């Protein structure tokens, strides 16, 4: 299989996330970490704020990863990464400094830090592993939880829409912004490699369906991830120097009529079980709105 | 030895010390009265006088985070802040100590709101005493410069490997110009070896720091080791101060410095810039016949318990001046002092004076007056009636 010039045969076989780690069955973060290893391998220094990945690492003195990991407080990740990258520049050492942060550490508690590093153009890649709620603390809502979704702090469904962080990062005029999905590994790997080749601040937003928090069968992680793209709920794109290009896997769904019904996406997840038809129509119009806004930048 | 005397504010003395220590990464967020430290360092870097990078972050939390990232990745790093800035970075203060990353931070001591107030007291600095950092106070601008350089050496000593913070009083030192001997770069280079640290993050080397422990007892041992290393730092502090004395002719006694203590019966105990006023008060009281001496604590962490006990033992009383308070209890310096003196069987009455909070001016006349009353009360009654006294001037 060859996507975007990368052959799966060329990817390193070395495992950067070891078997037997403490992720939940069907964990999208575990998928994402494997792809990160395949894409960038030994060049990575990972900066990890509090979140599920803190647990996936395993309990010291055991360790489930082959990346160096700087574990850091919640709101500090991008600033720590800036420090690491600056030190490596001073020392003349090669390193791809990657922040691996959830939706909380990206869009909420860590947002000022993210924005600061982006505005300064610090030489790091921020990956937002978006499982659309605070999963590690027990499925509480975040600003990236979609409209209508149940969480343990929104029992009747979230009343607010999902914050559009990729577009906010685009408005920081950073050299690279992309979205990705754990259902499209080659697309993600290609974007990671492109990001690593660019100096300055890079942002990749990785959609990460979470069986535990979204209430679906752990065997369906990739299927749910793909449905998100096929229904237009999640749009894969890439923006180099501000120019947005819809990625090939999402391109057909620019045409609304080619998208699968959003109902297909939400009905296989328990978190939307209380969604009324009226709320579904509101959710659909929000999705159209996200597309309309994004297309203006293409 | 050649003396190069410059006229420096306390803040510029910090900046010069940072430059002489060959710091490679500086990160900070402006706050009065710290700001001119980083302004000066920026000027050094942009004019090519200093080979370092400065990361101009969006908050103090990020300032210490950036410095932590740089220091844990192999370079000497520095930040500075005050008051609310220190409160905002509090989480990173703990994290840096727990991670055993040598870092030096200057705290220009300023009171904490509400209400807004930029004047000096020690509330910000003293509130950090449980974090695991080395904590040193400076009395004057020469000591500021010397202590910053010493602190890099102490924090990077393998027997210590902890971060350290230095306090200089807002405006009294930070914005007041004094003659300061700025040593040669070659002298500092001979004193300060290249960067040492317990581990370094680099690509291809899969180490981790800070993941969850499988056994909380291991975690408790890490905390115990922070404590043990602070206690072990006492020896390093003494060595470093002695060596600096040999190189520059300036020594500060290491942990504590005594002034007119040898035949004293009563002891004033204090930290920071107003120690200078306490010296004047001692001279004044001595001229009146009072047998009083001064113990200046340089370090509050590690707390020089035995060193203090040795001086006070056999005396008739001690009076501790705190420029901060643990509300609902007493001044933090007093609490440490009475706990350790008591445990070490130094059975003298100890009084606490809480003064100078929020920048209230305290003169040597004020200090002498309070000490005079204290001595007279002990001499006449044998006890202290009001052992925690708030002095408003």
């Amino acid at each position: 299989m060859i996507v975007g010039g990368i052959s799966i045969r060329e990817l390193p076989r070395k495992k950067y996330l070891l078997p037997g780690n403490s992720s939940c069955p069907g964990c999208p973060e575990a998928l994402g970490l494997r792809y990160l290893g395949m894409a960038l391998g030994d060049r990575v220094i990972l900066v990890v704020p509090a979140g599920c990945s803190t647990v996936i690492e395993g309990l010291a003195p055991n360790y489930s990863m082959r990346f160096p990991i700087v574990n850091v407080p919640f709101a500090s990740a991008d600033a720590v990464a800036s420090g690491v990258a600056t030190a490596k520049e001073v020392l003349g050492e090669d390193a791809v400094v990657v922040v691996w942060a959830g939706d909380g550490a990206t869009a909420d508690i860590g947002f000022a830090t993210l924005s600061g590093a982006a505005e300064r153009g610090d030489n790091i890649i921020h990956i937002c592993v978006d499982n659309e709620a605070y999963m590690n603390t027990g499925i509480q809502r975040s600003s990236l939880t979609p409209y209508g979704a149940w969480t343990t702090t929104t029992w009747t469904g979230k009343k607010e829409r999902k914050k559009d962080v990729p577009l906010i990062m685009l408005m920081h005029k950073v050299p690279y912004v992309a979205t990705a999905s754990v259902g499209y590994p080659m697309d993600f790997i290609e974007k990671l490699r492109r990001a690593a080749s660019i100096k300055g601040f890079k942002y990749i937003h990785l959609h990460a369906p979470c069986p535990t928090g979204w209430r679906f069968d752990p065997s369906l992680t990739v299927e749910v991830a793909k449905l998100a793209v096929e229904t237009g709920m999640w749009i894969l794109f890439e923006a180099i120097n501000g120019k947005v290009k819809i990625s090939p896997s999402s391109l057909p769904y620019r045409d609304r009529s080619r998208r699968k019904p959003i109902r297909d996406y939400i009905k296989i997840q328990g978190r939307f079980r209380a969604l009324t038809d009226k709320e579904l129509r509101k959710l659909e119009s929000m999705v159209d709105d996200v597309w309309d806004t994004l297309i203006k930048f293409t | 030895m050649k003396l190069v005397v410059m006229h420096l504010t306390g803040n510029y003395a910090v900046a010069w010390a940072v430059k002489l220590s060959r710091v490679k990464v500086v990160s900070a967020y402006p706050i009065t009265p710290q700001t001119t430290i980083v302004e000066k360092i920026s000027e050094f870097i942009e004019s090519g006088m200093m080979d370092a990078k400065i990361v101009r972050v969006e908050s103090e939390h990020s300032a210490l985070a950036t410095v932590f990232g740089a220091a844990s990745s192999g370079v000497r790093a520095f930040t500075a802040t005050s008051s609310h800035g220190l409160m905002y970075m509090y989480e990173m203060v703990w994290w840096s100590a727990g991670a055993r990353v040598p870092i030096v931070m200057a705290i220009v001591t300023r009171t904490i709101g509400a209400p807004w107030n930029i004047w000096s007291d020690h509330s910000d600095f003293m509130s950090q005493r449980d974090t695991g950092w080395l904590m040193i106070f400076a009395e004057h601008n020469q000591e500021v410069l010397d202590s910053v350089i010493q602190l890099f050496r102490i924090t990077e000593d393998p027997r210590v490997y902890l971060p350290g913070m230095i306090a200089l009083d807002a405006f009294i030192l930070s914005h007041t110009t004094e003659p300061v001997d700025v040593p040669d770069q070659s002298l500092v280079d001979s004193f300060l070896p290249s960067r040492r640290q317990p581990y370094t993050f680099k690509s291809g080397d899969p180490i981790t720091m800070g993941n969850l422990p499988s056994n909380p007892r291991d975690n408790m041992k890490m905390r115990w080791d922070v404590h043990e290393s602070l206690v072990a730092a006492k020896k390093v502090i003494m060595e470093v101060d002695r060596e600096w004395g040999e190189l520059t002719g300036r020594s500060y006694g290491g942990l504590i410095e005594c002034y007119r203590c040898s035949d004293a019966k009563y002891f004033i105990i204090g930290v920071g810039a107003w120690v200078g006023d306490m010296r004047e008060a001692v001279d004044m009281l001595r001229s009146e016949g009072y047998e009083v001496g001064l113990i200046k604590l340089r370090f509050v962490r590690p707390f020089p318990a035995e060193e203090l006990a040795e001086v006070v033992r056999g005396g008739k009383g001690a009076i501790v001046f705190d420029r901060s308070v643990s509300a609902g209890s007493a001044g933090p310096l007093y609490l440490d002092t009475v706990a350790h003196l008591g445990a070490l069987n130094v059975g003298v009455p100890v009084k606490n004076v809480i003064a100078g909070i929020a920048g209230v001016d305290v003169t040597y006349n004020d200090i002498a007056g309070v000490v005079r009353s204290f001595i007279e009360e002990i001499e006449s009654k044998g006890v202290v009636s009001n052992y925690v006294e708030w002095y408003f001037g």
Side-chain angles (χ1 to χ4, degrees):
Chain A
M1 181 183 163
I2 297 177
V3 179
I6 300 173
S7 161
I8 203 163
R9 287 205 193 89
E10 291 165 23
L11 295 174
R13 287 173 173 271
K14 181 172 169 182
K15 287 187 167 69
Y16 284 85
L17 176 65
L18 301 175
N21 65 71
S22 41
S23 55
C24 301
C27 175
E29 296 209 14
L31 296 176
L33 285 162
R34 284 189 199 115
Y35 307 148
L36 177 66
M38 289 175 187
L40 302 175
D42 281 347
R43 298 180 68 201
V44 171
I45 297 177
L46 214 50
V47 178
V48 177
C52 290
S53 294
T54 317
V55 176
I56 297 170
E57 275 175 62
L59 301 176
N62 299 316
Y63 185 45
S64 71
M65 307 228 199
R66 284 195 179 125
F67 300 111
I69 292 192
V70 194
N71 286 287
V72 297
F74 223 165
S76 71
D78 292 83
V80 172
S82 299
V84 175
T86 307
K88 292 306 161 195
E89 190 186 337
V90 166
L91 295 168
E93 292 175 14
D94 176 59
V96 180
V97 183
V98 176
V99 174
W100 182 266
D103 38 320
T106 298
D108 299 333
I109 192 170
F111 191 60
T113 323
L114 166 69
S115 178
E119 182 271 334
R120 290 189 302 273
D122 292 339
N123 190 26
I124 63 176
I125 303 175
H126 181 108
I127 302 175
C128 172
V129 193
D130 183 10
N131 52 22
E132 301 191 328
Y134 304 150
M135 297 311 179
N136 191 42
T137 44
I139 324 170
Q140 295 85 21
R141 67 86 88 181
S142 78
S143 68
L144 298 192
T145 302
Y147 172 77
W150 162 91
T151 67
T152 56
T153 50
T154 54
W155 292 94
T156 56
K158 190 187 170 193
K159 305 290 181 247
E160 303 80 23
R161 62 191 296 162
K162 183 180 173 84
K163 193 194 276 186
D164 198 338
V165 181
L167 281 193
I168 296 170
M169 297 321 293
L170 194 68
M171 291 302 101
H172 281 69
K173 311 290 181 187
V174 295
Y176 191 80
V177 175
T179 56
S181 162
V182 297
Y184 298 82
M186 299 306 275
D187 175 74
F188 180 41
I189 289 167
E190 195 184 337
K191 285 169 175 169
L192 280 167
R193 288 188 174 176
R194 189 128 54 239
S197 72
I198 295 168
K199 191 166 167 28
F201 187 90
K202 289 83 61 177
Y203 181 81
I204 300 178
H205 198 116
L206 179 69
H207 197 235
C210 165
T212 309
W214 296 13
R215 299 297 197 241
F216 63 80
D217 188 279
S219 67
L220 298 177
T221 304
V222 170
E223 196 172 328
V224 173
K226 283 184 185 275
L227 266 174
V229 170
E230 288 160 2
T231 55
M233 280 286 290
W234 188 245
I235 309 167
L236 298 172
F237 76 87
E238 183 175 52
I240 299 172
N241 294 322
K243 182 73 184 163
V244 173
K245 210 174 118 198
I246 308 291
S247 300
S249 301
S250 272
L251 205 51
Y253 312 113
R254 192 177 166 144
D255 176 357
R256 195 178 188 283
S257 67
R258 296 181 69 178
R259 293 178 208 157
K260 287 186 179 170
I262 286 175
R263 192 182 290 278
D264 290 358
Y265 175 65
I266 66 169
K267 76 182 178 196
I268 58 167
Q269 304 174 43
R271 64 174 174 160
F272 289 111
R273 64 183 175 272
L275 201 73
T276 63
D277 284 347
K278 193 179 162 201
E279 286 169 331
L280 176 60
R281 281 196 296 281
K282 192 168 172 185
L283 182 63
E284 285 167 345
S285 78
M286 285 173 179
V287 171
D288 291 341
D289 182 51
V290 171
W291 273 96
D292 291 347
T293 309
L294 182 66
I295 284 166
K296 291 195 178 95
F297 293 100
T298 56
Chain B
M1 192 191 65
K2 188 181 64 168
L3 277 183
V4 181
V5 176
M6 298 177 68
H7 293 91
L8 297 179
T9 62
N11 280 357
Y12 284 4
V14 173
W16 273 95
V18 168
K19 177 180 176 298
L20 286 166
S21 301
R22 297 192 185 277
V23 166
K24 290 297 173 202
V25 175
V26 175
S27 181
Y29 189 77
I31 182 168
T32 304
Q34 169 279 123
T35 323
T36 56
I37 296 177
V38 186
E39 287 175 356
K40 193 61 173 176
I41 292 173
S42 302
E43 191 186 323
F44 284 151
I45 294 173
E46 288 183 39
S47 66
M49 286 172 72
M50 183 177 168
D51 177 24
K53 302 265 180 202
I54 184 158
V55 187
R56 299 163 184 91
V57 287
E58 76 295 338
S59 77
E60 286 88 355
H61 193 278
S62 288
L64 189 50
T66 299
V67 163
F68 166 77
S72 63
S73 299
V75 300
R76 194 166 284 154
F78 171 84
T79 187
T81 192
S82 296
S83 184
H84 289 264
L86 183 57
M87 300 301 103
Y88 196 45
M89 63 166 66
Y90 188 52
E91 177 183 34
M92 291 308 304
V93 176
W94 278 83
W95 196 263
S96 306
R100 307 302 296 259
V101 176
I103 290 168
V104 171
M105 170 160 68
I107 305 299
V108 184
T109 63
R110 168 185 152 179
T111 193
I112 304 168
W116 288 120
N117 178 338
I118 58 169
W119 305 119
S120 184
D121 69 27
H122 299 157
S123 306
D124 51 2
F125 193 73
M126 292 304 274
S127 70
Q128 308 298 308
R129 63 197 190 283
D130 295 344
T131 57
W133 284 54
L134 291 135
M135 298 175 68
I136 183 172
F137 271 96
E139 182 189 345
H140 48 73
N141 294 351
Q142 182 70 62
E143 193 178 5
V144 167
L145 181 135
D146 292 344
S147 298
V148 168
I149 297 168
Q150 288 186 13
L151 209 44
F152 277 108
R153 167 83 179 265
I154 298 162
T155 55
E156 294 175 12
D157 188 296
R159 291 167 289 178
V160 181
Y161 279 157
L162 282 168
M165 55 177 87
I166 176 168
L168 56 151
D169 282 74
F171 303 107
I172 304 166
L173 297 188
S174 70
H175 288 62
T176 305
T177 302
E178 290 181 338
V180 175
D181 166 41
V182 179
D184 270 353
Q185 184 66 60
S186 58
L187 183 147
V188 178
D189 289 346
S190 72
F191 172 78
L192 195 56
S194 47
R195 174 77 175 171
R196 292 180 292 179
Q197 58 188 84
Y199 57 88
T200 305
F201 291 110
K202 45 169 100 73
S203 321
D205 180 12
I207 59 165
T208 183
M209 186 295 302
N211 59 331
L212 297 158
S214 55
N215 184 345
R217 196 167 285 109
D218 295 337
N219 197 159
M220 184 171 170
K221 280 184 181 165
M222 288 170 72
R223 196 65 196 153
W224 168 79
D225 195 69
V226 167
H227 170 76
E228 286 293 300
S229 301
L230 276 172
V231 174
K234 286 185 179 186
K235 186 162 177 276
V236 180
I237 289 164
M238 298 305 287
E239 285 171 17
V240 164
D241 187 63
R242 207 173 304 124
E243 194 182 317
W244 187 254
E246 284 161 13
L247 285 169
T248 64
R250 292 187 297 273
S251 175
Y252 300 96
L255 291 153
I256 65 171
E257 186 199 333
C258 294
Y259 180 66
R260 303 185 78 165
C261 285
S262 57
D263 62 340
K265 297 280 182 289
Y266 294 95
F267 300 93
I268 301 172
I269 297 170
V271 291
W274 64 357
V275 167
D277 301 292
M278 291 170 186
R279 289 180 198 272
E280 302 273 352
V282 166
D283 289 346
M284 182 188 264
L285 291 164
R286 282 280 183 174
S287 70
E288 296 167 15
Y290 293 97
E291 294 171 300
V292 61
L294 165 68
I295 306 170
K296 160 183 157 182
L297 303 188
R298 268 184 96 213
F299 279 83
V300 293
R301 288 292 180 275
F303 189 74
E306 291 82 5
E307 294 77 5
L308 194 58
E310 199 180 310
V311 181
V312 177
R313 195 185 300 280
K316 291 165 83 173
I319 182 164
V320 181
F321 283 81
D322 266 294
R323 207 158 188 159
S324 62
V325 64
S326 180
S329 181
L333 205 55
Y334 171 78
L335 294 171
D336 272 333
T337 301
V338 291
H340 289 284
L341 291 186
L344 295 166
N345 294 315
V346 181
V348 302
V350 185
K351 183 186 173 83
N352 190 196
V353 179
I354 293 160
I357 304 285
V360 169
D361 202 19
V362 181
T363 66
Y364 61 85
N365 272 318
D366 293 318
I367 294 165
V370 173
V371 175
R372 206 181 283 119
S373 311
F374 166 67
I375 295 173
E376 277 161 13
E377 190 178 18
I378 301 258
E379 293 285 339
S380 60
K381 297 181 192 156
V383 289
V384 183
S385 51
N386 181 16
Y387 68 90
V388 181
E389 180 186 338
W390 283 72
Y391 180 83
F392 293 92

